[in-house]
Amino acid sequence: MSTVETWRSLLASGELNADEVVTHVRVRDVELPLGAGTAALITLDNGFDHTKPNTFGPRGLLELNDALDQVAARGDLAAVAVTGKPFIFAVGADLKGVPAITDREQAALIGRLGHEVFRRLGELPVPSFAFVNGAAMGGGVEIALHCAYRTISSGVPAVALPECFLGLVPGWGGTYLLPNLIGAEKALKVIIDNPLAQNKMLRGPQAFELGIADAMFEPADFLEESLLWAARVLTGDVTAPRPEVDRGDAWDQAVAGARFAVEGKLHGGAPAPYRALDLVAAAKTASRDEGFAAEDDALADLIMSDELRAGLYSFDLTQKRAKRPAGAPDKNLARPVTKVGVVGAGLMAGQLALLFARRLEVPVVMTDLDQGRLDKGVAYAHGEIEKLLAKGRVSADKAGRLKSLISGSLGKEAFADADFVIEAVFEEMSVKQKVFAEVEAVVRPDCVLATNTSSLSVTEMASRLRHPERVVGFHFFNPVAVLPLLEIVRGERTDETTLATAFAVGKQLKKSCVLVKDAPAFVVNRLLTRFLGEILTAVDEGTPLEVADRSVAPLGLPMSPFLLLQLVGPAVALHVAETLHEAFPDRYQVSGRLREFVASGRSGVYAPDFSIDPEAAELFAGGDRPSTEEEVRQRAVEAVAQEIRIMLDEGVVAAPEDIDLCMILGAGWPFHLGGVTPYLDRTGVAEKVAGGRFLQPGVASLP
């Protein structure tokens, strides 16, 4: 029985993918220009608008197979072409059915079905064309690769093979067809580098430049121009330029370079990129059948892995939970924000002013203690707008409007008509209380007062105000423009209207908002400080700096502990550690070596070549109870598990999912791990330290 027939039987029995949103296949005849003949134009369309993209599940693939049966049987066609609905070509496999897969053979059938159907496009009796009119990811890119020719719209916003980001490999031809089309080095950028760089996407022109498409046309008349181009190919007027792929040492060197980079980032912590590398390496000499069979095996193994389930859990968190924050009040309670005040003009304040102006497009006024600081802060924001203009990210008119929105004032009277004022001053309670008292004296009674504090009590900050109910924590992560997390902190007296306004503003800023209780350091900084604190304590006890810094490499974190310390700033890290030590002295220690290091005025432990600076190592030296890398790592993750259990018991967030969402979006905790709690569950640390799993089996792991 063929794979197609096997799937028909499975679906008839109701075993799998009962809730698939089917991407239907519409076929119509199109008379090509230049007398080139008739083309069968296949349009992929699931019947929804662009907010629900086309995906490929088994029913959709079988419908495509039936359409290909019909066109293959015709003798009057000059070509077959595939395109998508408006704005969307196709975005890959429908992964909703993955949790229902319980054995490897079922998993293997998914790979085989995609191969069996898609490859028919490259094996038709007439040439096949893909007209990539909109977003194309995963299987959407792969169906195009199976066609003989490809055109792409210059307006396409996203082209990607994101599978390694989720814990899979491109399993419907991508690891074989793409390197054999554009060469191993370019293909590995799409298959490995981009997914591991926070799932970076290509735009249409970039995909064309890489050679993924043969021709590019403007969106307005894309289909007409693509049909004309196809006609010219068929009549011999044009040929598709295909540079010869280097199958010598260049291929091997590209794979070796990518393998070195993956090892540097993941240290073996995620299987998918390594499997993808093996597949690309084999594609150099493998036949098409061999390449596809190897993809089937890899796909089957990875579908039956905890890592994929964790990756899908992460995807669900960032795409669904982040858009419907747990505990957020009724959005209809939110007040409109037509003017924003920023207290301070330092680097963080400048970033905030720029973000508010760009996203809300309302006047933003900054204040500071003297004209020099104020001018520097406003100049920073204006300079960043000039950079956006230089990169083509904004037009000259838009740049001018944005700069006109950001101004400075030495007096807080400029906030009199503001609806939202955020402070970004020194992290000291008395300073922040003084600032809020001064702001409250001039703003309207309904103006929201927000604090960007990273660790201080929002409740205490508001305690001396006439209207403490309008104070809310609004904790961004640095760099503000890049990191998507916004911890929204509810003080003991913060009211629903203030909270609703905070969530509405956060959404306008395009941030993923998580509601957190007013507890010391909230979520991300509390966990990172506990994590880093255990590693620093091990150093204080005598563990060499190099050993401690390497200890958590197998977790695949975005940076080592002491690189994180350097990024945050040793003085800031010390301040947060002291704040948490005051709150929880039994669990948070303050490293004596870190105090000495901060007193030395150094900003980090690395030399310019990223080796450990001997003088820095000397400052951290001492102690007579060294630990091994494994011991330090175990100590750190057990501490994190304990702290998460305490935080959940305290109600700092609504659920473990919010912890993971915060750690993925605010701390860069690996997507493939599912954040932090699935890793702790999977390794047994949660049961050992926290008394049980954080998540039920099957939520971010195999059932």
Side-chain angles (χ1 to χ4, degrees):
M1 186 185 294
S2 71
T3 303
V4 166
E5 294 309 313
T6 300
W7 268 106
R8 291 194 198 282
S9 175
L10 283 171
L11 293 173
S13 68
E15 286 187 41
L16 295 172
N17 274 57
D19 61 346
E20 176 186 344
V21 177
V22 178
T23 293
H24 296 292
V25 177
R26 293 188 286 108
V27 185
R28 63 186 175 100
D29 286 358
V30 176
E31 289 304 315
L32 294 169
L34 309 178
T38 302
L41 180 63
I42 296 172
T43 301
L44 307 171
D45 190 346
N46 62 8
F48 294 88
D49 66 16
H50 67 281
T51 61
K52 196 152 194 168
N54 298 327
T55 56
F56 294 112
R59 287 183 173 83
L61 288 170
L62 292 177
E63 191 169 316
L64 176 60
N65 188 72
D66 291 343
L68 292 174
D69 278 343
Q70 295 173 22
V71 299
R74 293 175 58 178
D76 61 331
L77 294 176
V80 173
V82 181
T83 193
K85 66 182 182 181
F87 309 110
I88 300 291
F89 185 68
V91 299
D94 177 4
L95 297 174
K96 292 195 305 296
V98 168
I101 297 171
T102 56
D103 64 59
R104 191 180 184 281
E105 180 54 31
Q106 288 177 341
L109 281 171
I110 293 175
R112 291 203 287 268
L113 180 64
H115 280 131
E116 192 167 310
V117 175
F118 281 3
R119 72 181 300 165
R120 297 187 66 187
L121 284 161
E123 297 169 357
L124 290 168
V126 295
S128 55
F129 296 81
F131 300 153
V132 182
N133 63 306
M137 300 175 217
V141 173
E142 288 172 304
I143 192 175
L145 291 173
H146 279 274
C147 293
Y149 304 96
R150 286 157 294 283
T151 67
I152 194 165
S153 167
S154 62
V156 169
V159 175
L161 289 173
E163 286 84 356
C164 286
F165 181 64
L166 293 173
L168 284 172
V169 296
W172 287 342
T175 65
Y176 180 83
L177 297 172
L178 188 60
N180 279 298
L181 175 68
I182 63 174
E185 183 177 7
K186 291 180 179 178
L188 286 166
K189 290 184 185 300
V190 181
I191 295 169
I192 303 285
D193 294 358
N194 288 354
L196 296 187
Q198 297 299 310
N199 203 23
K200 180 180 178 182
M201 303 280 166
L202 300 169
R203 295 187 299 277
Q206 294 171 308
F208 172 64
E209 188 176 335
L210 279 176
I212 295 174
D214 301 305
M216 181 171 68
F217 304 110
E218 294 301 309
D221 54 358
F222 173 72
L223 183 58
E224 292 83 354
E225 288 296 321
S226 293
L227 289 168
L228 175 59
W229 185 82
R232 295 180 69 196
V233 169
L234 294 173
T235 59
D237 290 347
V238 298
T239 57
R242 300 276 174 84
E244 186 176 350
V245 171
D246 189 332
R247 301 180 185 283
D249 289 342
W251 191 297
D252 299 330
Q253 289 170 7
V255 171
R259 199 178 295 278
F260 179 80
V262 167
E263 184 59 28
K265 285 185 177 181
L266 300 178
H267 305 280
Y274 295 94
R275 291 298 292 267
L277 279 165
D278 292 342
L279 290 167
V280 172
K284 175 183 174 182
T285 56
S287 67
R288 179 174 294 217
D289 287 345
E290 291 168 342
F292 291 177
E295 285 183 342
D296 290 340
D297 285 339
L299 208 59
D301 290 341
L302 292 168
I303 287 174
M304 296 308 297
S305 71
D306 283 324
E307 285 79 9
L308 172 63
R309 309 303 168 107
L312 293 177
Y313 166 77
S314 295
F315 187 76
D316 190 66
L317 290 181
T318 56
Q319 297 300 308
K320 295 180 181 177
R321 193 175 185 91
K323 295 174 182 176
R324 294 187 291 275
D330 183 350
K331 63 183 180 181
N332 293 318
L333 295 173
R335 294 194 183 103
V337 173
T338 60
K339 182 178 178 180
V340 172
V342 179
V343 185
L347 179 59
M348 177 58 80
Q351 292 182 73
L352 293 178
L354 177 63
L355 180 68
F356 278 91
R358 285 192 71 194
R359 300 300 186 207
L360 271 63
E361 296 190 3
V362 300
V364 179
V365 60
M366 304 170 71
T367 65
D368 213 311
L369 297 175
D370 61 64
Q371 194 66 47
R373 292 180 186 178
L374 190 60
D375 291 345
K376 185 176 180 181
V378 173
Y380 166 81
H382 287 185
E384 292 300 301
I385 293 168
E386 287 294 332
K387 290 179 184 177
L388 293 172
L389 175 62
K391 293 176 182 176
R393 301 274 298 278
V394 297
S395 67
D397 285 346
K398 183 69 174 287
R401 288 198 304 273
L402 289 176
K403 285 196 287 187
S404 72
L405 290 173
I406 301 173
S407 62
S409 172
L410 284 177
K412 293 184 175 63
E413 294 79 10
F415 298 155
D417 56 345
D419 305 294
F420 192 100
V421 175
I422 184 167
E423 66 77 21
V425 299
F426 184 67
E427 191 78 345
E428 175 66 45
M429 180 62 73
S430 61
V431 175
K432 292 181 184 288
Q433 286 179 330
K434 180 175 183 291
V435 160
F436 271 155
E438 293 170 350
V439 172
E440 188 178 48
V442 299
V443 297
R444 297 194 312 263
D446 61 352
C447 177
V448 171
L449 304 183
T451 170
N452 186 45
T453 182
S454 60
S455 60
L456 300 178
S457 168
V458 174
T459 300
E460 184 180 350
M461 208 176 295
S463 62
R464 301 180 184 179
L465 299 178
R466 294 191 307 276
H467 295 286
E469 69 278 359
R470 60 168 169 187
V471 178
V472 65
F474 217 59
H475 181 217
F476 291 90
F477 291 80
N478 201 9
V480 169
V482 176
L483 291 179
L485 179 65
L486 179 60
E487 291 179 336
I488 295 184
V489 187
R490 182 173 201 160
E492 289 179 9
R493 298 183 64 179
T494 306
D495 65 22
E496 291 289 292
T497 299
T498 297
L499 204 60
T501 304
F503 273 97
V505 170
K507 184 176 182 179
Q508 285 181 278
L509 295 175
K510 299 187 177 179
K511 296 299 181 183
S512 296
C513 303
V514 176
L515 178 63
V516 303
K517 181 181 176 181
D518 186 17
F522 317 127
V523 176
V524 174
N525 284 350
R526 180 165 169 178
L527 288 177
L528 287 182
T529 301
R530 184 80 197 272
F531 182 73
L532 188 58
E534 294 296 328
I535 295 169
L536 285 167
T537 300
V539 172
D540 284 357
E541 292 169 354
T543 303
L545 202 59
E546 297 88 342
V547 172
D549 206 35
R550 291 194 304 265
S551 63
V552 294
L555 297 180
L557 300 177
M559 61 189 73
S560 69
F562 285 92
L563 187 55
L564 174 63
L565 182 71
Q566 189 160 320
L567 177 68
V568 170
V572 172
L574 177 62
H575 176 75
V576 176
E578 289 172 337
T579 300
L580 283 161
H581 174 68
E582 186 176 342
F584 312 117
D586 58 326
R587 302 195 307 278
Y588 286 83
Q589 307 305 314
V590 179
S591 165
R593 301 286 192 280
L594 179 59
R595 272 206 180 102
E596 294 172 12
F597 189 77
V598 171
S600 75
R602 291 177 174 272
S603 61
V605 305
Y606 295 100
D609 64 354
F610 282 95
S611 63
I612 298 292
D613 185 331
E615 293 183 13
E618 183 62 29
L619 284 169
F620 277 101
D624 56 4
R625 290 181 292 126
S627 299
T628 65
E629 290 181 23
E630 184 177 352
E631 289 169 340
V632 175
R633 179 170 65 254
Q634 193 66 16
R635 174 178 185 164
V637 297
E638 288 184 5
V640 167
Q642 181 194 38
E643 201 63 32
I644 291 172
R645 173 52 60 202
I646 293 169
M647 291 166 68
L648 292 171
D649 291 344
E650 291 176 350
V652 175
V653 290
E657 287 86 347
D658 293 314
I659 297 277
D660 292 320
L661 187 58
C662 285
M663 296 304 284
I664 291 167
L665 298 181
W669 207 274
F671 202 89
H672 65 266
L673 294 182
V676 58
T677 69
Y679 171 82
L680 298 172
D681 286 344
R682 189 164 64 246
T683 55
V685 173
E687 290 196 20
K688 176 184 176 183
V689 176
R693 295 174 64 97
F694 292 110
L695 302 168
Q696 292 298 312
V699 173
S701 60
L702 290 169

